[in-house]
Structures are given as structure tokens and as C-alpha cells.
Amino acid sequence: MSLLQGIHHAAYRCRDAKQTIDFYRETLGMDLILAISEDRVPSTKEPDPYMHVFLDAGAGNVLAFFEIPNSPPMGRDENTPAWVQHIASKVADMDTLLATRSACARRASR
């Protein structure tokens, strides 16, 4: 039997916390739960400012992002195909999926 009762959140890096929050709020209707800004890493006390934001993904699921401005630009694991690296969400039906995909494409083209 697993000791885990669930996953509290999954966290990813973002370039701009405000833009990320705006996208998930406006496009997917996710609410901001919490934003934490620190000048030091709590576990190591290393000076490294960051913003950590948490968004409500529904049904007790939380999606989080870190904006870490003093780190080198982010990239992706070049040894892993792009189609492997993703977040998958459950929606009501195919029409909702297609409408959301269109909204995301429109937003990306701005």
C-alpha cells in the first residue's frame, strides 16, 4: 500500500509568472490559489529570487509554476522528443477540447 494520498501539485518553470497566470485564467478558467515570492531558496537558503504560483486545475488538482529570473534561459531536454514532454488535461468532451485548442492557438498567435 502506498504512503501517498495523492499528488499535491506538479510544478514547471515559466518565463513570466503573470503571463502564465493570465493564460491559464483566461483560456482554461483556472483560478490562482497562491503566489509566493522569495529571495532565498527555503531548503538551502541560497540567494536565488523566484516566484512560485499555484493554479486550481479542478477536482483537487494543482498546477504550479516557478519564475526564476536569475537562471539561464530555459530549454527542454533535447534527448527527448517534443511530443513526449507535455501536460495532459481531462475535459468534458471533444467539442470542448477543440474549442480550447482553437483558443490556445489564437492566443499564441498574438
Side-chain angles (χ1 to χ4, degrees), residues 5-79:
Q5 296 178 355
I7 295 174
H8 181 269
H9 68 274
Y12 300 91
R13 185 173 174 192
C14 67
R15 279 181 272 202
D16 183 305
K18 182 181 179 335
Q19 286 181 347
T20 300
I21 293 166
D22 289 348
F23 170 80
Y24 281 93
R25 274 179 148 166
E26 295 169 14
T27 308
L28 301 178
M30 294 169 63
D31 290 327
L32 175 66
I33 298 170
L34 176 67
I36 300 169
S37 178
E38 297 282 349
D39 289 330
R40 295 185 176 276
V41 179
S43 58
T44 66
K45 306 301 184 223
E46 179 181 1
D48 194 3
Y50 68 88
M51 173 71 73
H52 194 187
V53 299
F54 300 82
L55 296 149
D56 183 352
N61 297 293
V62 177
L63 185 58
F65 293 92
F66 278 98
E67 178 184 328
I68 43 178
N70 292 341
S71 293
M74 63 183 175
R76 65 173 196 81
D77 177 1
E78 294 297 327
N79 295 316

Side-chain angles (χ1 to χ4, degrees), residues 78-93:
E78 294 297 327
N79 295 316
T80 303
W83 59 268
V84 172
Q85 299 176 24
H86 67 277
I87 300 170
S89 300
K90 182 178 178 181
V91 295
D93 52 38

